[in-house]
Amino acid sequence: MAILIDQNTRMVIQGITGREAQMVVDHTLAYGTRIYAGVTPGKGGQNVLGVPVYDTVWEAVKKQNVNASLVVVPPAFALDAVLEAIDNGIKLIVVTTENIPQLDSVRMLYEARKKNVVIIGPNTVGIINPKDNVKMGSIGGDRPERCFVPGNVGVISRSGGMTAETSWMVKRAGFGVTTSVGIGGDSFIGSTIKDLLALFEEDEETKAVVTFSEPGTSFEEDAAQFLKEGGFTKPLISYVAGRFTESMPEGTVFGHAGAMISGNTGRPSLKMKALQDAGAHVIERYDDVISVLKTVLGERVGGVK
Amino acid sequence: MGRMLENASKKLLKENGIPAPNHWVIHKSDEIQALHLKKPCVLKALVPVGKRGKAGAIKFADSVQEAQEKTEELLKMTVRNYEVNRVLLEEKLEIAEEWYVSITIDPKKQMPVIIATTEGGVEVEDLVKEAPEKVVIYHVEPFSKLYSYQAKEIWSKLGVTGKPLIQATSVLCGLYDIFLKYDCYILEINPLVLTKDQQVMAAASVMGIDDSALFRQPELAGQVESGSERSWRPLTELEKAMVRVNDADYRGTARYTEMDGGSIGFMCGGGGGSLLSFDALTFLGAQPANYTETGGNPSEEKVYGLTKGILSKEGVKGLFVAHNITNNTQIDVMARGIVKAVQELGVNLDEFPIVVREAGVNDEEGKREFESAGITYYGEEVTIEQAAAEMVKKMEGVI
């Protein structure tokens, strides 16, 4: 088991003929993930490494019965692409595009909420489920197995690069992941930490979750509240990067667009406290992921492999 | 995110039908003449920061001479690290009441939100907590415009009636149109003034534009300081040079922020990886001389230019290169750019420690590049924090 994607995922890539998408297609197929269709307006009838290209999502759904979309289009076209996917009944949309205008993001997320569609991103590296060799996005690059091996830990990261690094720390500790998710570096994203914790709670194979966080937003505070309400009962190991930013003048953004501190909102120290008070294992040093995982998981999965 | 200066935002407001006082931009005090002082005036430092009133950067004058004197004072000021080079001169309004209205996007509800009050001269954040009944918070459906009845309801709930209600309704609908039309992330009118002759006018405006949307706002070209919200002061010369390095090539990103002092050149990558690396160094008591963030598979030229810039800062006595395990950034390309800069500057590695922790795409080739240049290289077998500890240890020998 995993969350969000598995062997039943039938992926379409919107924007498949673009420069960005070519590499993703290449790496994804090499990993063993099947891509059922691509969509680029005006390029219907072509194929990319054997993947059939259609002009519309409607046609991709009709011909290939796709049920999940990876959006790899430039910022100016992202809103339209997501609305097209939603309108055609796609229930999982992974939006990789960076620098989407905020109003467009807000509109696509609003429409998705209304139609009960799960959005990962925007500005996400993607999702990976190593047990089924299924990935959506550039996650893992040319060698996904380097960082992502099957196991019992869920990984949620606000940073794309740190999704890989954190999953590698899990591997270094002697474990592997059920699913690793980069949730996207923007302020306005679809699925937040809390939403994914709810999915990991339901997933029997997931025995613990590791999160990598940054300054800005209230995702960690919301997750802490969710823990307090009993929504997530498995061990949660959390690291919040960027504590140095608290001593910088307010309004300064280091890292991703969402990493802005304003007043008390977004301060790493307050995020850490909220998570700690809610019962999470909040680690001071990132390397402690390894020892804490061994401690909390050692017994549950029958000792360190 | 980029702010607009008030003269530019006022001009846009007026062009879009929002009443606002007449204004002029003054560079030197002797530009002020009788025509500017037909009415008493307000003088404001023209800098891209808020809360200018508190900083003493807003003054009033009744005569040409007084206006010239106060302009002189303003032109000598520095407001929150911004030197005042220009002054905005405006007609002073005859104020009956001071109101407040802002339009932003609510991060929790992910919807545009209007915040309005008829209580003037207070911090609206405080008012929301202390007297929430005096504030209306109104969310707008993201695909919709603001309808007249919605704007009317907002003001009516705040007790506005009669002619001012009609005026305020039209002004708020106009402001909301502007917010959408120009891809604002903030549009704040504080104060929104009800004049003694019952006009509703925008006395002061703050307008911030989403720089991700500038591609569809050609009209605003040159008026928005792109990325101005990323910094707490104007860009330094070195930072400007690094922006040029980044802009010269579309491949990958290179951001550079200069710190006060510091001894370790910081050449790190990944949004999260850079934060972690910086925390790791400061946790051990070390002082990075800058903050950097590269990623998205930058070209060799970009990495070279960035590294050269980092090493050019005075007081830099070592270089820390770290990255999260990369998904698409090519380590061999990074290595060639860094090695080229280091060798060109003739860095003596016995006196100038360099520690590299780079793993990911093409890292075997990258390792060869670094090691053949005599640079200490670690791959994924060492964590970022372990590499940072090694860096700090090596620095002990040179500071």
Side-chain angles (χ1 to χ4, degrees):
Chain A
M1 286 280 284
I3 65 166
L4 299 166
I5 52 172
D6 55 29
Q7 287 157 332
N8 299 318
T9 300
R10 296 177 68 91
M11 182 187 352
V12 56
I13 299 184
Q14 290 178 261
I16 193 165
T17 55
R19 187 178 65 97
E20 288 283 312
Q22 303 275 340
M23 194 166 77
V24 172
V25 171
D26 185 11
H27 293 165
T28 303
L29 293 174
Y31 185 55
T33 305
R34 184 145 175 216
I35 303 167
Y36 286 80
V39 170
T40 301
K43 305 226 166 148
Q46 300 183 4
N47 76 82
V48 174
L49 298 173
V51 177
V53 179
Y54 302 97
D55 285 319
T56 60
V57 173
W58 177 79
E59 206 178 349
V61 170
K62 201 172 72 169
K63 302 257 174 71
Q64 300 293 341
N65 204 17
V66 294
N67 58 17
S69 175
L70 178 69
V71 174
V72 195
V73 302
F77 308 108
L79 172 60
D80 196 63
V82 171
L83 293 180
E84 183 185 3
I86 293 173
D87 214 28
N88 283 284
I90 305 289
K91 291 298 177 193
L92 171 67
I93 306 173
V94 177
V95 187
T96 65
T97 313
E98 190 176 356
N99 293 322
I100 298 177
Q102 281 193 355
L103 276 169
D104 289 5
S105 293
V106 164
R107 285 173 173 154
M108 69 174 70
L109 296 173
Y110 178 80
E111 194 64 16
R113 285 198 300 276
K114 269 205 317 204
K115 304 275 170 66
N116 281 321
V117 171
V118 173
I119 301 241
I120 304 293
N123 191 9
T124 173
V125 70
I127 322 169
I128 191 165
N129 158 3
K131 188 176 175 187
D132 292 328
N133 279 49
V134 178
K135 74 171 191 125
M136 287 180 77
S138 63
I139 190 164
D142 56 346
R143 278 175 57 199
E145 60 287 350
R146 175 204 286 263
C147 297
F148 305 97
V149 296
N152 300 97
V153 180
V155 170
I156 304 168
S157 170
R158 285 177 55 192
S159 157
M162 292 307 293
T163 314
E165 186 84 26
T166 303
S167 302
W168 175 79
M169 294 295 261
V170 171
K171 180 181 171 188
R172 196 181 165 101
F175 305 104
V177 298
T178 49
T179 319
S180 293
V181 186
I183 62 173
D186 287 357
S187 310
F188 298 103
I189 57 169
S191 304
T192 62
I193 296 172
K194 179 187 94 171
D195 300 328
L196 296 175
L197 286 176
L199 298 180
F200 278 126
E201 176 75 8
E202 296 295 312
D203 177 43
E204 281 181 17
E205 273 186 31
T206 301
K207 305 296 182 197
V209 170
V210 181
T211 56
F212 178 90
S213 285
E214 298 183 356
T217 77
S218 56
F219 301 153
E220 291 73 21
E221 288 81 349
D222 296 344
Q225 185 60 32
F226 188 60
L227 256 63
K228 279 190 176 166
E229 290 163 1
F232 186 75
T233 58
K234 301 172 183 180
L236 173 65
I237 300 161
S238 294
Y239 178 78
V240 185
R243 273 172 285 169
F244 79 91
T245 62
E246 290 191 48
S247 54
M248 302 303 294
E250 187 172 306
T252 312
V253 180
F254 290 95
H256 297 106
M260 169 111 89
I261 293 176
S262 169
N264 275 335
T265 305
R267 290 188 179 278
S269 58
L270 295 180
K271 292 178 181 300
M272 291 168 74
K273 185 168 187 311
L275 286 164
Q276 193 128 36
D277 291 349
H281 301 269
V282 177
I283 49 174
E284 287 282 324
R285 313 279 323 266
Y286 180 68
D287 283 2
D288 293 343
V289 167
I290 295 169
S291 58
V292 175
L293 253 186
K294 283 180 176 169
T295 312
V296 302
L297 264 191
E299 342 161 357
R300 285 168 189 267
V301 293
V304 180
K305 283 176 218 162
Chain B
M1 298 293 135
R3 281 231 180 155
M4 290 177 78
L5 288 171
E6 193 176 351
N7 59 320
S9 64
K10 280 273 173 62
K11 184 164 168 279
L12 276 185
L13 292 179
K14 287 178 196 170
E15 283 170 6
N16 286 277
I18 306 295
N22 286 323
H23 74 260
W24 297 269
V25 175
I26 305 293
H27 302 77
K28 283 186 194 150
S29 60
D30 60 13
E31 290 167 18
I32 301 175
Q33 294 165 7
L35 78 100
H36 299 119
L37 267 294
K38 285 180 185 159
K39 290 180 185 169
C41 76
V42 186
L43 298 154
K44 301 174 179 175
L46 204 47
V47 284
V49 293
K51 301 193 174 144
R52 288 172 298 174
K54 273 190 186 165
I58 298 178
K59 296 179 185 290
F60 301 90
D62 293 330
S63 68
V64 170
Q65 195 197 342
E66 193 185 5
Q68 289 181 340
E69 284 166 13
K70 293 196 168 164
T71 297
E72 291 287 335
E73 290 170 26
L74 285 171
L75 288 172
K76 285 181 195 142
M77 288 179 72
T78 297
V79 184
R80 286 180 48 201
N81 298 313
Y82 283 85
E83 270 181 36
V84 180
N85 298 314
R86 293 181 295 167
V87 168
L88 187 69
L89 186 156
E90 287 185 341
E91 283 177 356
K92 191 176 162 197
L93 300 173
E94 297 207 29
I95 296 172
E97 289 181 33
E98 288 190 296
W99 302 344
Y100 168 98
V101 66
S102 72
I103 311 169
T104 53
I105 299 178
D106 180 339
K108 283 230 173 195
K109 294 210 167 158
Q110 298 184 329
M111 289 170 84
V113 62
I114 296 167
I115 300 177
T117 176
T118 50
E119 295 284 307
V122 290
E123 294 280 337
V124 73
E125 293 89 351
D126 298 338
L127 194 64
V128 169
K129 281 177 213 139
E130 285 153 23
E133 73 283 357
K134 291 179 175 166
V135 182
V136 171
I137 297 176
Y138 191 94
H139 290 89
V140 187
E141 202 261 305
F143 285 94
S144 171
K145 67 172 194 171
L146 184 74
Y147 288 91
S148 276
Y149 81 88
Q150 296 173 302
K152 182 185 69 177
E153 264 181 35
I154 291 171
W155 294 118
S156 179
K157 281 178 186 166
L158 291 165
V160 179
T161 185
K163 188 183 163 203
L165 177 63
I166 308 301
Q167 288 245 342
T169 297
S170 144
V171 166
L172 182 49
C173 286
L175 289 172
Y176 196 81
D177 286 345
I178 291 168
F179 180 81
L180 295 184
K181 178 177 170 187
Y182 295 104
D183 277 293
C184 297
Y185 64 89
I186 182 166
L187 179 56
E188 180 185 80
I189 308 298
N190 185 21
L192 181 68
V193 161
L194 177 65
T195 62
K196 287 184 178 156
D197 56 358
Q198 303 271 288
Q199 301 291 315
V200 175
M201 294 182 90
S205 56
V206 170
M207 191 165 173
I209 309 295
D210 174 5
D211 46 15
S212 294
L214 284 178
F215 69 86
R216 62 187 180 198
Q217 300 293 347
E219 200 185 324
L220 301 183
Q223 296 189 53
V224 179
E225 178 126 353
S226 182
S228 59
E229 294 272 301
R230 275 193 174 261
S231 196
W232 64 97
R233 50 158 170 70
L235 295 182
T236 65
E237 287 309 312
L238 191 50
E239 286 171 347
K240 285 182 195 159
M242 294 300 102
V243 169
R244 287 194 291 275
V245 166
N246 187 46
D247 290 348
D249 192 328
Y250 70 90
R251 287 170 293 178
T253 55
R255 286 203 196 100
Y256 175 94
T257 306
E258 204 168 339
M259 296 286 153
D260 290 337
S263 56
I264 299 177
F266 184 85
M267 172 62 194
C268 294
S274 288
L275 291 172
L276 171 60
S277 302
F278 204 98
D279 271 344
L281 291 174
T282 50
F283 187 85
L284 296 167
Q287 282 193 316
N290 66 282
Y291 183 82
T292 303
E293 194 194 315
T294 60
N297 200 15
S299 64
E300 184 182 326
E301 273 305 293
K302 191 171 274 191
V303 174
Y304 160 74
L306 183 63
T307 308
K308 248 179 116 171
I310 290 168
L311 294 175
S312 74
K313 191 188 162 189
E314 202 162 327
V316 170
K317 297 191 169 71
L319 181 68
F320 184 54
V321 180
H323 221 122
N324 49 252
I325 299 172
T326 63
N327 293 301
N328 65 348
T329 295
Q330 300 175 73
I331 306 305
D332 54 336
V333 175
M334 294 281 299
R336 282 195 286 277
I338 292 166
V339 167
K340 188 175 163 197
V342 166
Q343 290 183 340
E344 201 175 291
L345 291 169
V347 171
N348 178 353
L349 294 171
D350 294 332
E351 296 166 2
F352 192 98
I354 301 180
V355 171
V356 173
R357 193 281 193 177
E358 291 275 329
V361 182
N362 302 343
D363 56 3
E364 284 168 21
E365 180 58 26
K367 178 182 171 157
R368 268 195 295 279
E369 297 272 354
F370 281 120
E371 290 186 340
S372 65
I375 293 171
T376 306
Y377 169 89
Y378 299 114
E380 64 187 21
E381 72 284 357
V382 161
T383 68
I384 291 173
E385 286 184 343
Q386 286 167 345
E390 186 63 22
M391 182 73 215
V392 173
K393 205 171 96 194
K394 289 199 175 197
M395 286 301 287
E396 283 166 6
V398 294
I399 325 181

